[in-house]
């Protein structure tokens, strides 16, 4: 697997978003267009968030019924990033805190699919004052807008802090350079995939 910094990763993610049906990103709709079956299953392990199973003619994503809808939506997006970027492997994705480079890509890529920075930053700036006066309300409003949890919004704000700083210093949105400050996508909380560690499974 080749190393991808944030800018390179986002360039790889954009065609995935463009291939999805128009409107707010819907991982389930994209999976249907790709012929990927999605199943929700009550795993015995509460740690297991999702599974990507590749077949020669058909692939399947299995999501944990124990996760809330926002968590399953993130998990589905996470598995789609694996599907597009990490060839030849199946994955069992757990809630472990240890995050490898490949899992950083899947987490950060899923965040960019669901909360693309070119949409997220202007939205944040429009309600920025609310974050200072009533942060919980601001998080809820952003979460509803993007169809994620408040915890995911909070983590996305941390992840995009370098890009937000560029924007607030006058850099136009289309000139912002995504910057890998740290593995900020490693811990999408709020019922998503804390750590989202994956185990490779080979057929």
């Amino acid at each position: 697997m080749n190393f991808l910094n944030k800018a390179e990763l986002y360039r790889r993610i954009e065609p995935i978003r463009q291939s999805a049906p128009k409107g707010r990103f819907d991982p389930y709709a994209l999976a249907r267009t790709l012929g990927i079956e999605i199943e929700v299953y009550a795993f015995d392990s509460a740690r297991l968030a999702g599974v990507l199973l590749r077949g020669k003619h058909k692939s399947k994503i299995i999501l944990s019924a124990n996760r809330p809808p926002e968590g399953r939506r993130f998990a589905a997006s996470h598995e789609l990033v694996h599907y597009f970027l990490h060839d030849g492997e199946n994955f069992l994705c757990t809630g472990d805190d240890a995050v490898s480079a490949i899992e950083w890509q899947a987490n950060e890529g899923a965040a960019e699919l669901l909360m693309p920075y070119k949409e997220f930053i202007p939205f944040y700036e429009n309600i920025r004052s609310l974050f200072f006066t009533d942060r919980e309300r601001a998080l809820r409003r952003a979460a509803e807008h993007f169809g994620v949890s408040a915890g995911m919004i909070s983590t996305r704000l941390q992840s995009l802090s370098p890009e937000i700083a560029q924007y607030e210093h006058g850099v136009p949105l289309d000139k912002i350079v995504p910057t890998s400050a740290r593995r900020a996508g490693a811990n999408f909380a709020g019922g998503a995939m804390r750590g989202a560690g994956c185990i490779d499974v080979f057929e």
Side-chain angles (χ1 to χ4, degrees), residues 93-181:
C93 294
T94 70
D96 294 339
D97 287 333
V99 178
S100 65
I102 198 170
E103 287 313 298
W104 174 82
Q105 289 183 14
N107 281 338
E108 190 70 28
E112 177 62 11
L113 286 172
L114 295 169
M115 299 166 279
Y117 78 96
K118 289 183 179 179
E119 297 177 19
F120 187 94
I121 293 175
F123 183 89
Y124 165 72
E125 292 296 333
N126 284 338
I127 64 169
R128 185 174 177 223
S129 61
L130 185 59
F131 275 90
F132 292 103
T133 59
D134 191 340
R135 183 175 176 84
E136 289 188 7
R137 182 182 170 198
L139 288 173
R140 288 196 303 269
R141 181 180 295 183
E144 182 179 351
H145 180 82
F146 288 101
V148 298
S149 71
M152 293 177 207
I153 294 294
S154 183
T155 301
R156 189 62 168 155
L157 283 169
Q158 296 174 25
S159 170
L160 290 178
S161 57
E163 292 78 17
I164 292 172
Q166 292 179 56
Y167 188 77
E168 291 178 347
H169 282 83
V171 178
L173 197 61
D174 61 350
K175 300 296 183 183
I176 288 175
V177 178
T179 303
S180 297

